[in-house]
Amino acid sequence: MQNVNIWSEEFGAETDTPILLIMGSMSQGILWPDELVGRLAAGGRRVIRYDHRDTGMSGTVDFAAEPYTWDDIKNDIYRVMDAHGLESAHLVGHSAGGLLGQLVAVERPERVRSLTVVASSPLGGGEGQALMRALMGQPQSEGSLPEPAPEFVAFYRALMAAPPPEDRRARIDGMIAEQRVLHGTGLPFDEDAARRLQERIHDRARDLSAVANHRLAAMAKPDFEPVGVLHQVKAPTLVIEGSHEPAKPGHGAIIAEQIPGARLMIVAGMGHTLPPAVHEELAAAILAHTAG
């Protein structure tokens, strides 16, 4: 499935240094916070964010009729770059977006000026399988990635067993509860701000249930991630992880170990989300990394 429409928007001058923001699985581009995007644009960057297929305002598909894989989600990155006239850009990826950025840096190094990986797992590390074993209460295999925090596992186990929410309020309440868990325990959680964000996410989605297609895409090609290739990354790489990361704790250090010359940055208090308290620090780090 190659012709699905992808929503994107850009900030800053067209002549500024381009940064492409890649959000994680089942996540809309607006999870890159407006304030963080604004700081990057004010720092002289042309910032582009987009909704993955089957999220937000991008096109949705009938997966049974038009199946796709994570290769297609990855190839949407090239489509967005081409649509904005970019032969290359600085890639900044969050969670699964960071994994996609790693793959693009291996696959098409000429298109990646630098790579910033935030709250992500190493390409080819088997994060998906390790997560499923944790959720199912199965022992991890030798060499598996560090497990998610217990509260993360408990939340998603309960979510898997719960009936679907019945109305808009219940859906948004559930989305806020998930954001609270992903936020971690290192910084105060602003529930009012979380509600405003989740209401926006809920109401701008063409089909909120379509995000489940990302899981189907993963199952359609379980061997999507090449193994043992991170040493091939040539782009200058910054790896960012929160000190209170609940989903992928310690994964950043593994990425930094495998990519030659990569630098690891630990952000105090940050979990798996991008709250206002860390915007200044993140923006400064990304601006410095994408300079020159």
Side-chain angles (χ1 to χ4, degrees):
M1 173 64 182
Q2 296 297 321
N3 296 320
V4 61
N5 291 325
I6 300 295
W7 173 91
S8 68
E9 63 178 350
E10 66 173 74
F11 306 81
E14 191 170 337
T15 54
D16 286 344
T17 301
I19 291 178
L20 179 64
L21 302 177
I22 310 167
M23 191 32 76
S25 174
M26 302 189 291
S27 298
Q28 299 182 20
I30 64 166
L31 280 170
W32 291 106
D34 293 345
E35 181 186 349
L36 176 60
V37 171
R39 285 178 179 272
L40 295 175
R45 302 295 182 269
R46 178 187 178 191
V47 187
I48 299 165
R49 63 182 177 183
Y50 70 99
D51 289 340
H52 290 296
R53 60 176 64 200
D54 279 323
T55 75
M57 297 177 68
S58 286
T60 60
V61 305
D62 178 347
F63 194 88
E66 299 178 291
Y68 60 85
T69 72
W70 270 82
D71 276 321
D72 296 302
I73 298 175
K74 176 261 298 176
N75 289 337
D76 288 337
I77 294 173
Y78 302 129
R79 295 176 59 210
V80 172
M81 292 177 67
D82 291 345
H84 287 266
L86 300 177
E87 293 185 2
S88 65
H90 297 277
L91 302 188
V92 181
H94 181 273
S95 194
L99 188 143
L100 292 172
Q102 294 169 62
L103 181 53
V104 171
V106 170
E107 182 179 83
R108 298 290 302 276
E110 76 281 2
R111 305 207 70 170
V112 184
R113 301 188 189 187
S114 76
L115 176 64
T116 301
V117 179
V118 186
S120 191
S121 296
L123 180 69
E127 188 266 342
Q129 296 91 329
L131 175 58
M132 285 309 301
R133 283 193 290 269
L135 293 176
M136 300 303 293
Q138 299 172 349
Q140 296 292 336
S141 60
E142 185 176 352
S144 291
L145 294 169
E147 292 188 29
E151 59 270 21
F152 177 95
V153 174
F155 175 83
Y156 283 98
R157 281 179 180 169
L159 185 64
M160 289 165 61
E166 296 182 352
D167 55 26
R168 179 181 182 274
R169 181 174 183 83
R171 286 191 294 271
I172 291 172
D173 286 346
M175 292 160 69
I176 293 169
E178 182 176 30
Q179 187 178 352
R180 183 188 295 274
V181 171
L182 293 174
H183 176 85
T185 59
L187 294 168
F189 181 71
D190 187 338
E191 185 160 344
D192 290 338
R195 183 168 297 279
R196 290 192 295 271
L197 174 61
Q198 298 306 327
E199 287 176 343
R200 183 181 175 194
I201 288 171
H202 182 284
D203 294 343
R204 73 189 291 276
R206 292 180 183 273
D207 179 358
L208 203 64
S209 66
V211 298
N213 287 343
H214 284 197
R215 292 197 189 100
L216 298 177
M219 291 187 288
K221 190 178 180 183
D223 60 349
F224 157 75
E225 300 179 41
V227 177
V229 297
L230 281 181
H231 68 280
Q232 299 177 23
V233 174
K234 304 300 183 186
T237 301
L238 172 64
V239 183
I240 301 175
E241 183 173 310
S243 63
H244 289 68
E245 168 65 58
K248 309 170 191 289
H251 294 200
I254 298 172
I255 300 171
E257 288 171 2
Q258 295 185 20
I259 296 179
R263 182 168 66 91
L264 176 64
M265 172 183 172
I266 301 296
V267 179
M270 189 175 85
H272 194 68
T273 60
L274 305 172
V278 304
H279 290 175
E280 182 176 0
E281 186 175 359
L282 289 180
I286 293 170
L287 288 171
H289 186 60
T290 58

